[in-house]
mmCIF file with all atom_site columns, all heavy atoms in Angstrom:
data_model
loop_
_atom_site.group_PDB
_atom_site.id
_atom_site.type_symbol
_atom_site.label_atom_id
_atom_site.label_alt_id
_atom_site.label_comp_id
_atom_site.label_asym_id
_atom_site.label_entity_id
_atom_site.label_seq_id
_atom_site.pdbx_PDB_ins_code
_atom_site.Cartn_x
_atom_site.Cartn_y
_atom_site.Cartn_z
_atom_site.occupancy
_atom_site.B_iso_or_equiv
_atom_site.pdbx_formal_charge
_atom_site.auth_seq_id
_atom_site.auth_comp_id
_atom_site.auth_asym_id
_atom_site.auth_atom_id
_atom_site.pdbx_PDB_model_num
ATOM 1   N N   . ILE G 1 1  ? 7.792  1.376  -3.679  1.00 89.00 ? 6  ILE G N   1
ATOM 2   C CA  . ILE G 1 1  ? 7.089  0.850  -2.617  1.00 89.00 ? 6  ILE G CA  1
ATOM 3   C C   . ILE G 1 1  ? 7.417  -0.589 -2.212  1.00 89.00 ? 6  ILE G C   1
ATOM 4   O O   . ILE G 1 1  ? 7.282  -0.915 -1.107  1.00 89.00 ? 6  ILE G O   1
ATOM 5   C CB  . ILE G 1 1  ? 5.551  1.020  -2.695  1.00 89.00 ? 6  ILE G CB  1
ATOM 6   C CG1 . ILE G 1 1  ? 4.955  0.206  -3.874  1.00 89.00 ? 6  ILE G CG1 1
ATOM 7   C CG2 . ILE G 1 1  ? 5.120  2.443  -2.797  1.00 89.00 ? 6  ILE G CG2 1
ATOM 8   C CD1 . ILE G 1 1  ? 3.438  0.184  -3.958  1.00 89.00 ? 6  ILE G CD1 1
ATOM 9   N N   . ASN G 1 2  ? 7.956  -1.323 -3.147  1.00 86.00 ? 7  ASN G N   1
ATOM 10  C CA  . ASN G 1 2  ? 8.403  -2.651 -2.844  1.00 86.00 ? 7  ASN G CA  1
ATOM 11  C C   . ASN G 1 2  ? 9.721  -2.610 -2.090  1.00 86.00 ? 7  ASN G C   1
ATOM 12  O O   . ASN G 1 2  ? 10.153 -3.634 -1.469  1.00 86.00 ? 7  ASN G O   1
ATOM 13  C CB  . ASN G 1 2  ? 8.511  -3.483 -4.066  1.00 86.00 ? 7  ASN G CB  1
ATOM 14  C CG  . ASN G 1 2  ? 7.143  -3.831 -4.603  1.00 86.00 ? 7  ASN G CG  1
ATOM 15  O OD1 . ASN G 1 2  ? 6.208  -4.015 -3.840  1.00 86.00 ? 7  ASN G OD1 1
ATOM 16  N ND2 . ASN G 1 2  ? 7.022  -3.910 -5.871  1.00 86.00 ? 7  ASN G ND2 1
ATOM 17  N N   . ASP G 1 3  ? 10.366 -1.461 -1.957  1.00 85.00 ? 8  ASP G N   1
ATOM 18  C CA  . ASP G 1 3  ? 11.629 -1.338 -1.189  1.00 85.00 ? 8  ASP G CA  1
ATOM 19  C C   . ASP G 1 3  ? 11.251 -0.932 0.209   1.00 85.00 ? 8  ASP G C   1
ATOM 20  O O   . ASP G 1 3  ? 12.166 -0.793 1.116   1.00 85.00 ? 8  ASP G O   1
ATOM 21  C CB  . ASP G 1 3  ? 12.498 -0.225 -1.742  1.00 85.00 ? 8  ASP G CB  1
ATOM 22  C CG  . ASP G 1 3  ? 12.959 -0.529 -3.143  1.00 85.00 ? 8  ASP G CG  1
ATOM 23  O OD1 . ASP G 1 3  ? 13.195 -1.702 -3.399  1.00 85.00 ? 8  ASP G OD1 1
ATOM 24  O OD2 . ASP G 1 3  ? 13.156 0.442  -3.947  1.00 85.00 ? 8  ASP G OD2 1
ATOM 25  N N   . LEU G 1 4  ? 10.015 -0.686 0.511   1.00 82.00 ? 9  LEU G N   1
ATOM 26  C CA  . LEU G 1 4  ? 9.614  -0.139 1.830   1.00 82.00 ? 9  LEU G CA  1
ATOM 27  C C   . LEU G 1 4  ? 8.979  -1.282 2.664   1.00 82.00 ? 9  LEU G C   1
ATOM 28  O O   . LEU G 1 4  ? 8.379  -2.159 2.134   1.00 82.00 ? 9  LEU G O   1
ATOM 29  C CB  . LEU G 1 4  ? 8.582  0.976  1.721   1.00 82.00 ? 9  LEU G CB  1
ATOM 30  C CG  . LEU G 1 4  ? 9.124  2.177  0.857   1.00 82.00 ? 9  LEU G CG  1
ATOM 31  C CD1 . LEU G 1 4  ? 7.985  3.199  0.734   1.00 82.00 ? 9  LEU G CD1 1
ATOM 32  C CD2 . LEU G 1 4  ? 10.309 2.824  1.555   1.00 82.00 ? 9  LEU G CD2 1
ATOM 33  N N   . ASN G 1 5  ? 9.115  -1.179 3.919   1.00 76.00 ? 10 ASN G N   1
ATOM 34  C CA  . ASN G 1 5  ? 8.568  -2.220 4.818   1.00 76.00 ? 10 ASN G CA  1
ATOM 35  C C   . ASN G 1 5  ? 7.240  -1.643 5.354   1.00 76.00 ? 10 ASN G C   1
ATOM 36  O O   . ASN G 1 5  ? 7.238  -0.884 6.356   1.00 76.00 ? 10 ASN G O   1
ATOM 37  C CB  . ASN G 1 5  ? 9.558  -2.490 6.028   1.00 76.00 ? 10 ASN G CB  1
ATOM 38  C CG  . ASN G 1 5  ? 9.066  -3.553 6.894   1.00 76.00 ? 10 ASN G CG  1
ATOM 39  O OD1 . ASN G 1 5  ? 8.065  -4.229 6.608   1.00 76.00 ? 10 ASN G OD1 1
ATOM 40  N ND2 . ASN G 1 5  ? 9.737  -3.806 7.937   1.00 76.00 ? 10 ASN G ND2 1
ATOM 41  N N   . TYR G 1 6  ? 6.123  -1.988 4.786   1.00 72.00 ? 11 TYR G N   1
ATOM 42  C CA  . TYR G 1 6  ? 4.872  -1.604 5.226   1.00 72.00 ? 11 TYR G CA  1
ATOM 43  C C   . TYR G 1 6  ? 4.055  -2.790 5.762   1.00 72.00 ? 11 TYR G C   1
ATOM 44  O O   . TYR G 1 6  ? 2.856  -2.960 5.476   1.00 72.00 ? 11 TYR G O   1
ATOM 45  C CB  . TYR G 1 6  ? 4.079  -0.784 4.166   1.00 72.00 ? 11 TYR G CB  1
ATOM 46  C CG  . TYR G 1 6  ? 3.990  -1.507 2.829   1.00 72.00 ? 11 TYR G CG  1
ATOM 47  C CD1 . TYR G 1 6  ? 3.010  -2.394 2.613   1.00 72.00 ? 11 TYR G CD1 1
ATOM 48  C CD2 . TYR G 1 6  ? 5.002  -1.281 1.872   1.00 72.00 ? 11 TYR G CD2 1
ATOM 49  C CE1 . TYR G 1 6  ? 3.016  -3.034 1.313   1.00 72.00 ? 11 TYR G CE1 1
ATOM 50  C CE2 . TYR G 1 6  ? 4.938  -1.904 0.618   1.00 72.00 ? 11 TYR G CE2 1
ATOM 51  C CZ  . TYR G 1 6  ? 3.931  -2.796 0.347   1.00 72.00 ? 11 TYR G CZ  1
ATOM 52  O OH  . TYR G 1 6  ? 3.942  -3.369 -0.825  1.00 72.00 ? 11 TYR G OH  1
ATOM 53  N N   . ASP G 1 7  ? 4.725  -3.634 6.463   1.00 65.00 ? 12 ASP G N   1
ATOM 54  C CA  . ASP G 1 7  ? 4.115  -4.821 6.901   1.00 65.00 ? 12 ASP G CA  1
ATOM 55  C C   . ASP G 1 7  ? 2.947  -4.505 7.879   1.00 65.00 ? 12 ASP G C   1
ATOM 56  O O   . ASP G 1 7  ? 3.110  -3.848 8.877   1.00 65.00 ? 12 ASP G O   1
ATOM 57  C CB  . ASP G 1 7  ? 5.110  -5.691 7.789   1.00 65.00 ? 12 ASP G CB  1
ATOM 58  C CG  . ASP G 1 7  ? 6.237  -6.222 6.860   1.00 65.00 ? 12 ASP G CG  1
ATOM 59  O OD1 . ASP G 1 7  ? 6.021  -6.209 5.645   1.00 65.00 ? 12 ASP G OD1 1
ATOM 60  O OD2 . ASP G 1 7  ? 7.259  -6.594 7.411   1.00 65.00 ? 12 ASP G OD2 1
ATOM 61  N N   . THR G 1 8  ? 1.803  -5.106 7.513   1.00 65.00 ? 13 THR G N   1
ATOM 62  C CA  . THR G 1 8  ? 0.588  -4.903 8.293   1.00 65.00 ? 13 THR G CA  1
ATOM 63  C C   . THR G 1 8  ? -0.486 -5.797 7.748   1.00 65.00 ? 13 THR G C   1
ATOM 64  O O   . THR G 1 8  ? -0.503 -6.062 6.650   1.00 65.00 ? 13 THR G O   1
ATOM 65  C CB  . THR G 1 8  ? 0.128  -3.392 8.377   1.00 65.00 ? 13 THR G CB  1
ATOM 66  O OG1 . THR G 1 8  ? -1.026 -3.286 9.186   1.00 65.00 ? 13 THR G OG1 1
ATOM 67  C CG2 . THR G 1 8  ? -0.163 -2.886 6.956   1.00 65.00 ? 13 THR G CG2 1
ATOM 68  N N   . GLU G 1 9  ? -1.315 -6.173 8.719   1.00 68.00 ? 14 GLU G N   1
ATOM 69  C CA  . GLU G 1 9  ? -2.448 -6.975 8.224   1.00 68.00 ? 14 GLU G CA  1
ATOM 70  C C   . GLU G 1 9  ? -3.555 -6.065 7.663   1.00 68.00 ? 14 GLU G C   1
ATOM 71  O O   . GLU G 1 9  ? -4.538 -6.522 7.082   1.00 68.00 ? 14 GLU G O   1
ATOM 72  C CB  . GLU G 1 9  ? -3.006 -7.905 9.313   1.00 68.00 ? 14 GLU G CB  1
ATOM 73  C CG  . GLU G 1 9  ? -3.440 -7.076 10.549  1.00 68.00 ? 14 GLU G CG  1
ATOM 74  C CD  . GLU G 1 9  ? -3.683 -8.032 11.680  1.00 68.00 ? 14 GLU G CD  1
ATOM 75  O OE1 . GLU G 1 9  ? -2.960 -9.003 11.896  1.00 68.00 ? 14 GLU G OE1 1
ATOM 76  O OE2 . GLU G 1 9  ? -4.657 -7.770 12.461  1.00 68.00 ? 14 GLU G OE2 1
ATOM 77  N N   . LYS G 1 10 ? -3.404 -4.744 7.792   1.00 87.00 ? 15 LYS G N   1
ATOM 78  C CA  . LYS G 1 10 ? -4.381 -3.828 7.306   1.00 87.00 ? 15 LYS G CA  1
ATOM 79  C C   . LYS G 1 10 ? -3.849 -3.006 6.151   1.00 87.00 ? 15 LYS G C   1
ATOM 80  O O   . LYS G 1 10 ? -3.956 -1.834 6.099   1.00 87.00 ? 15 LYS G O   1
ATOM 81  C CB  . LYS G 1 10 ? -4.785 -2.919 8.466   1.00 87.00 ? 15 LYS G CB  1
ATOM 82  C CG  . LYS G 1 10 ? -5.501 -3.670 9.575   1.00 87.00 ? 15 LYS G CG  1
ATOM 83  C CD  . LYS G 1 10 ? -6.033 -2.729 10.581  1.00 87.00 ? 15 LYS G CD  1
ATOM 84  C CE  . LYS G 1 10 ? -6.790 -3.484 11.621  1.00 87.00 ? 15 LYS G CE  1
ATOM 85  N NZ  . LYS G 1 10 ? -7.494 -2.670 12.586  1.00 87.00 ? 15 LYS G NZ  1
ATOM 86  N N   . SER G 1 11 ? -3.292 -3.710 5.149   1.00 91.00 ? 16 SER G N   1
ATOM 87  C CA  . SER G 1 11 ? -2.884 -3.008 3.914   1.00 91.00 ? 16 SER G CA  1
ATOM 88  C C   . SER G 1 11 ? -3.641 -3.644 2.744   1.00 91.00 ? 16 SER G C   1
ATOM 89  O O   . SER G 1 11 ? -4.013 -4.787 2.744   1.00 91.00 ? 16 SER G O   1
ATOM 90  C CB  . SER G 1 11 ? -1.339 -3.150 3.714   1.00 91.00 ? 16 SER G CB  1
ATOM 91  O OG  . SER G 1 11 ? -1.019 -4.478 3.503   1.00 91.00 ? 16 SER G OG  1
ATOM 92  N N   . SER G 1 12 ? -3.862 -2.759 1.762   1.00 93.00 ? 17 SER G N   1
ATOM 93  C CA  . SER G 1 12 ? -4.585 -3.217 0.569   1.00 93.00 ? 17 SER G CA  1
ATOM 94  C C   . SER G 1 12 ? -4.095 -2.543 -0.605  1.00 93.00 ? 17 SER G C   1
ATOM 95  O O   . SER G 1 12 ? -3.698 -1.315 -0.564  1.00 93.00 ? 17 SER G O   1
ATOM 96  C CB  . SER G 1 12 ? -6.016 -3.042 0.747   1.00 93.00 ? 17 SER G CB  1
ATOM 97  O OG  . SER G 1 12 ? -6.400 -1.706 1.033   1.00 93.00 ? 17 SER G OG  1
ATOM 98  N N   . GLU G 1 13 ? -4.091 -3.139 -1.812  1.00 94.00 ? 18 GLU G N   1
ATOM 99  C CA  . GLU G 1 13 ? -3.668 -2.621 -3.060  1.00 94.00 ? 18 GLU G CA  1
ATOM 100 C C   . GLU G 1 13 ? -4.893 -1.754 -3.564  1.00 94.00 ? 18 GLU G C   1
ATOM 101 O O   . GLU G 1 13 ? -6.014 -2.086 -3.447  1.00 94.00 ? 18 GLU G O   1
ATOM 102 C CB  . GLU G 1 13 ? -3.363 -3.635 -4.035  1.00 94.00 ? 18 GLU G CB  1
ATOM 103 C CG  . GLU G 1 13 ? -2.204 -4.451 -3.657  1.00 94.00 ? 18 GLU G CG  1
ATOM 104 C CD  . GLU G 1 13 ? -1.753 -5.594 -4.652  1.00 94.00 ? 18 GLU G CD  1
ATOM 105 O OE1 . GLU G 1 13 ? -2.279 -5.546 -5.776  1.00 94.00 ? 18 GLU G OE1 1
ATOM 106 O OE2 . GLU G 1 13 ? -1.050 -6.447 -4.267  1.00 94.00 ? 18 GLU G OE2 1
ATOM 107 N N   . VAL G 1 14 ? -4.506 -0.529 -4.028  1.00 96.00 ? 19 VAL G N   1
ATOM 108 C CA  . VAL G 1 14 ? -5.505 0.425  -4.563  1.00 96.00 ? 19 VAL G CA  1
ATOM 109 C C   . VAL G 1 14 ? -4.904 1.070  -5.809  1.00 96.00 ? 19 VAL G C   1
ATOM 110 O O   . VAL G 1 14 ? -3.691 0.906  -6.079  1.00 96.00 ? 19 VAL G O   1
ATOM 111 C CB  . VAL G 1 14 ? -5.883 1.478  -3.479  1.00 96.00 ? 19 VAL G CB  1
ATOM 112 C CG1 . VAL G 1 14 ? -6.608 0.849  -2.300  1.00 96.00 ? 19 VAL G CG1 1
ATOM 113 C CG2 . VAL G 1 14 ? -4.703 2.270  -3.075  1.00 96.00 ? 19 VAL G CG2 1
ATOM 114 N N   . THR G 1 15 ? -5.733 1.812  -6.508  1.00 97.00 ? 20 THR G N   1
ATOM 115 C CA  . THR G 1 15 ? -5.228 2.529  -7.679  1.00 97.00 ? 20 THR G CA  1
ATOM 116 C C   . THR G 1 15 ? -5.557 4.024  -7.349  1.00 97.00 ? 20 THR G C   1
ATOM 117 O O   . THR G 1 15 ? -6.581 4.460  -6.932  1.00 97.00 ? 20 THR G O   1
ATOM 118 C CB  . THR G 1 15 ? -5.992 2.102  -8.934  1.00 97.00 ? 20 THR G CB  1
ATOM 119 O OG1 . THR G 1 15 ? -5.742 0.706  -9.189  1.00 97.00 ? 20 THR G OG1 1
ATOM 120 C CG2 . THR G 1 15 ? -5.481 2.961  -10.108 1.00 97.00 ? 20 THR G CG2 1
ATOM 121 N N   . ILE G 1 16 ? -4.455 4.838  -7.539  1.00 97.00 ? 21 ILE G N   1
ATOM 122 C CA  . ILE G 1 16 ? -4.533 6.271  -7.272  1.00 97.00 ? 21 ILE G CA  1
ATOM 123 C C   . ILE G 1 16 ? -4.152 6.898  -8.618  1.00 97.00 ? 21 ILE G C   1
ATOM 124 O O   . ILE G 1 16 ? -3.010 6.883  -9.046  1.00 97.00 ? 21 ILE G O   1
ATOM 125 C CB  . ILE G 1 16 ? -3.600 6.680  -6.224  1.00 97.00 ? 21 ILE G CB  1
ATOM 126 C CG1 . ILE G 1 16 ? -3.935 6.032  -4.842  1.00 97.00 ? 21 ILE G CG1 1
ATOM 127 C CG2 . ILE G 1 16 ? -3.650 8.184  -6.005  1.00 97.00 ? 21 ILE G CG2 1
ATOM 128 C CD1 . ILE G 1 16 ? -5.325 6.368  -4.221  1.00 97.00 ? 21 ILE G CD1 1
ATOM 129 N N   . GLY G 1 17 ? -5.098 7.545  -9.254  1.00 96.00 ? 22 GLY G N   1
ATOM 130 C CA  . GLY G 1 17 ? -4.904 8.054  -10.568 1.00 96.00 ? 22 GLY G CA  1
ATOM 131 C C   . GLY G 1 17 ? -4.424 6.889  -11.491 1.00 96.00 ? 22 GLY G C   1
ATOM 132 O O   . GLY G 1 17 ? -5.044 5.937  -11.572 1.00 96.00 ? 22 GLY G O   1
ATOM 133 N N   . LYS G 1 18 ? -3.312 7.111  -12.187 1.00 96.00 ? 23 LYS G N   1
ATOM 134 C CA  . LYS G 1 18 ? -2.779 6.119  -13.071 1.00 96.00 ? 23 LYS G CA  1
ATOM 135 C C   . LYS G 1 18 ? -1.695 5.199  -12.390 1.00 96.00 ? 23 LYS G C   1
ATOM 136 O O   . LYS G 1 18 ? -1.152 4.331  -12.977 1.00 96.00 ? 23 LYS G O   1
ATOM 137 C CB  . LYS G 1 18 ? -2.063 6.811  -14.332 1.00 96.00 ? 23 LYS G CB  1
ATOM 138 C CG  . LYS G 1 18 ? -0.844 7.629  -13.885 1.00 96.00 ? 23 LYS G CG  1
ATOM 139 C CD  . LYS G 1 18 ? -0.229 8.276  -15.203 1.00 96.00 ? 23 LYS G CD  1
ATOM 140 C CE  . LYS G 1 18 ? 0.870  9.117  -14.851 1.00 96.00 ? 23 LYS G CE  1
ATOM 141 N NZ  . LYS G 1 18 ? 1.488  9.803  -15.992 1.00 96.00 ? 23 LYS G NZ  1
ATOM 142 N N   . TYR G 1 19 ? -1.629 5.343  -11.038 1.00 97.00 ? 24 TYR G N   1
ATOM 143 C CA  . TYR G 1 19 ? -0.577 4.614  -10.260 1.00 97.00 ? 24 TYR G CA  1
ATOM 144 C C   . TYR G 1 19 ? -1.171 3.517  -9.429  1.00 97.00 ? 24 TYR G C   1
ATOM 145 O O   . TYR G 1 19 ? -2.288 3.653  -8.873  1.00 97.00 ? 24 TYR G O   1
ATOM 146 C CB  . TYR G 1 19 ? 0.177  5.541  -9.407  1.00 97.00 ? 24 TYR G CB  1
ATOM 147 C CG  . TYR G 1 19 ? 0.807  6.695  -10.115 1.00 97.00 ? 24 TYR G CG  1
ATOM 148 C CD1 . TYR G 1 19 ? 0.303  7.922  -10.183 1.00 97.00 ? 24 TYR G CD1 1
ATOM 149 C CD2 . TYR G 1 19 ? 2.052  6.434  -10.748 1.00 97.00 ? 24 TYR G CD2 1
ATOM 150 C CE1 . TYR G 1 19 ? 0.874  8.941  -10.931 1.00 97.00 ? 24 TYR G CE1 1
ATOM 151 C CE2 . TYR G 1 19 ? 2.677  7.408  -11.507 1.00 97.00 ? 24 TYR G CE2 1
ATOM 152 C CZ  . TYR G 1 19 ? 2.120  8.695  -11.569 1.00 97.00 ? 24 TYR G CZ  1
ATOM 153 O OH  . TYR G 1 19 ? 2.693  9.650  -12.280 1.00 97.00 ? 24 TYR G OH  1
ATOM 154 N N   . ASP G 1 20 ? -0.389 2.478  -9.331  1.00 96.00 ? 25 ASP G N   1
ATOM 155 C CA  . ASP G 1 20 ? -0.657 1.410  -8.307  1.00 96.00 ? 25 ASP G CA  1
ATOM 156 C C   . ASP G 1 20 ? -0.210 2.002  -6.979  1.00 96.00 ? 25 ASP G C   1
ATOM 157 O O   . ASP G 1 20 ? 0.722  2.787  -6.867  1.00 96.00 ? 25 ASP G O   1
ATOM 158 C CB  . ASP G 1 20 ? 0.147  0.149  -8.551  1.00 96.00 ? 25 ASP G CB  1
ATOM 159 C CG  . ASP G 1 20 ? -0.312 -0.577 -9.867  1.00 96.00 ? 25 ASP G CG  1
ATOM 160 O OD1 . ASP G 1 20 ? -1.466 -0.422 -10.233 1.00 96.00 ? 25 ASP G OD1 1
ATOM 161 O OD2 . ASP G 1 20 ? 0.533  -1.267 -10.413 1.00 96.00 ? 25 ASP G OD2 1
ATOM 162 N N   . ALA G 1 21 ? -0.930 1.656  -5.919  1.00 96.00 ? 26 ALA G N   1
ATOM 163 C CA  . ALA G 1 21 ? -0.600 2.118  -4.625  1.00 96.00 ? 26 ALA G CA  1
ATOM 164 C C   . ALA G 1 21 ? -1.034 1.094  -3.544  1.00 96.00 ? 26 ALA G C   1
ATOM 165 O O   . ALA G 1 21 ? -1.665 0.087  -3.852  1.00 96.00 ? 26 ALA G O   1
ATOM 166 C CB  . ALA G 1 21 ? -1.325 3.479  -4.343  1.00 96.00 ? 26 ALA G CB  1
ATOM 167 N N   . VAL G 1 22 ? -0.596 1.325  -2.352  1.00 95.00 ? 27 VAL G N   1
ATOM 168 C CA  . VAL G 1 22 ? -0.885 0.545  -1.207  1.00 95.00 ? 27 VAL G CA  1
ATOM 169 C C   . VAL G 1 22 ? -1.460 1.453  -0.127  1.00 95.00 ? 27 VAL G C   1
ATOM 170 O O   . VAL G 1 22 ? -0.901 2.505  0.249   1.00 95.00 ? 27 VAL G O   1
ATOM 171 C CB  . VAL G 1 22 ? 0.251  -0.264 -0.609  1.00 95.00 ? 27 VAL G CB  1
ATOM 172 C CG1 . VAL G 1 22 ? -0.105 -1.026 0.646   1.00 95.00 ? 27 VAL G CG1 1
ATOM 173 C CG2 . VAL G 1 22 ? 0.794  -1.210 -1.691  1.00 95.00 ? 27 VAL G CG2 1
ATOM 174 N N   . LYS G 1 23 ? -2.652 1.113  0.387   1.00 96.00 ? 28 LYS G N   1
ATOM 175 C CA  . LYS G 1 23 ? -3.268 1.870  1.528   1.00 96.00 ? 28 LYS G CA  1
ATOM 176 C C   . LYS G 1 23 ? -2.940 1.045  2.758   1.00 96.00 ? 28 LYS G C   1
ATOM 177 O O   . LYS G 1 23 ? -3.235 -0.118 2.813   1.00 96.00 ? 28 LYS G O   1
ATOM 178 C CB  . LYS G 1 23 ? -4.756 2.024  1.306   1.00 96.00 ? 28 LYS G CB  1
ATOM 179 C CG  . LYS G 1 23 ? -5.421 2.731  2.487   1.00 96.00 ? 28 LYS G CG  1
ATOM 180 C CD  . LYS G 1 23 ? -6.879 3.066  2.237   1.00 96.00 ? 28 LYS G CD  1
ATOM 181 C CE  . LYS G 1 23 ? -7.713 1.797  2.321   1.00 96.00 ? 28 LYS G CE  1
ATOM 182 N NZ  . LYS G 1 23 ? -9.185 1.997  2.317   1.00 96.00 ? 28 LYS G NZ  1
ATOM 183 N N   . VAL G 1 24 ? -2.374 1.740  3.747   1.00 95.00 ? 29 VAL G N   1
ATOM 184 C CA  . VAL G 1 24 ? -2.008 1.099  5.036   1.00 95.00 ? 29 VAL G CA  1
ATOM 185 C C   . VAL G 1 24 ? -2.814 1.783  6.136   1.00 95.00 ? 29 VAL G C   1
ATOM 186 O O   . VAL G 1 24 ? -2.597 2.936  6.474   1.00 95.00 ? 29 VAL G O   1
ATOM 187 C CB  . VAL G 1 24 ? -0.459 1.233  5.341   1.00 95.00 ? 29 VAL G CB  1
ATOM 188 C CG1 . VAL G 1 24 ? -0.177 0.439  6.645   1.00 95.00 ? 29 VAL G CG1 1
ATOM 189 C CG2 . VAL G 1 24 ? 0.349  0.678  4.183   1.00 95.00 ? 29 VAL G CG2 1
ATOM 190 N N   . GLU G 1 25 ? -3.769 1.013  6.699   1.00 95.00 ? 30 GLU G N   1
ATOM 191 C CA  . GLU G 1 25 ? -4.562 1.508  7.774   1.00 95.00 ? 30 GLU G CA  1
ATOM 192 C C   . GLU G 1 25 ? -3.855 1.234  9.107   1.00 95.00 ? 30 GLU G C   1
ATOM 193 O O   . GLU G 1 25 ? -3.247 0.167  9.358   1.00 95.00 ? 30 GLU G O   1
ATOM 194 C CB  . GLU G 1 25 ? -5.933 0.851  7.809   1.00 95.00 ? 30 GLU G CB  1
ATOM 195 C CG  . GLU G 1 25 ? -6.727 1.045  6.563   1.00 95.00 ? 30 GLU G CG  1
ATOM 196 C CD  . GLU G 1 25 ? -8.113 0.403  6.546   1.00 95.00 ? 30 GLU G CD  1
ATOM 197 O OE1 . GLU G 1 25 ? -8.718 0.321  7.594   1.00 95.00 ? 30 GLU G OE1 1
ATOM 198 O OE2 . GLU G 1 25 ? -8.415 -0.183 5.470   1.00 95.00 ? 30 GLU G OE2 1
ATOM 199 N N   . GLU G 1 26 ? -3.945 2.219  9.959   1.00 92.00 ? 31 GLU G N   1
ATOM 200 C CA  . GLU G 1 26 ? -3.367 2.127  11.329  1.00 92.00 ? 31 GLU G CA  1
ATOM 201 C C   . GLU G 1 26 ? -1.917 1.715  11.372  1.00 92.00 ? 31 GLU G C   1
ATOM 202 O O   . GLU G 1 26 ? -1.500 0.804  12.078  1.00 92.00 ? 31 GLU G O   1
ATOM 203 C CB  . GLU G 1 26 ? -4.178 1.167  12.220  1.00 92.00 ? 31 GLU G CB  1
ATOM 204 C CG  . GLU G 1 26 ? -5.624 1.513  12.375  1.00 92.00 ? 31 GLU G CG  1
ATOM 205 C CD  . GLU G 1 26 ? -6.408 0.488  13.201  1.00 92.00 ? 31 GLU G CD  1
ATOM 206 O OE1 . GLU G 1 26 ? -5.833 -0.286 13.936  1.00 92.00 ? 31 GLU G OE1 1
ATOM 207 O OE2 . GLU G 1 26 ? -7.641 0.501  13.054  1.00 92.00 ? 31 GLU G OE2 1
#
């Protein structure tokens, strides 16, 4: 995910199961 460009002011770090994740709204 650090290789991806998910630039947005509406992103937040979350945990999904045992994994770190990023939720990107809109």
Side-chain angles (χ1 to χ4, degrees):
I6 63 173
N7 289 327
D8 297 327
L9 303 174
N10 182 8
Y11 51 88
D12 295 342
T13 179
E14 59 191 37
K15 294 187 178 187
S16 66
S17 57
E18 294 180 18
V19 295
T20 300
I21 300 293
K23 64 182 180 181
Y24 301 99
D25 292 333
V27 174
K28 179 173 73 171
V29 181
E30 298 178 41
E31 300 178 22

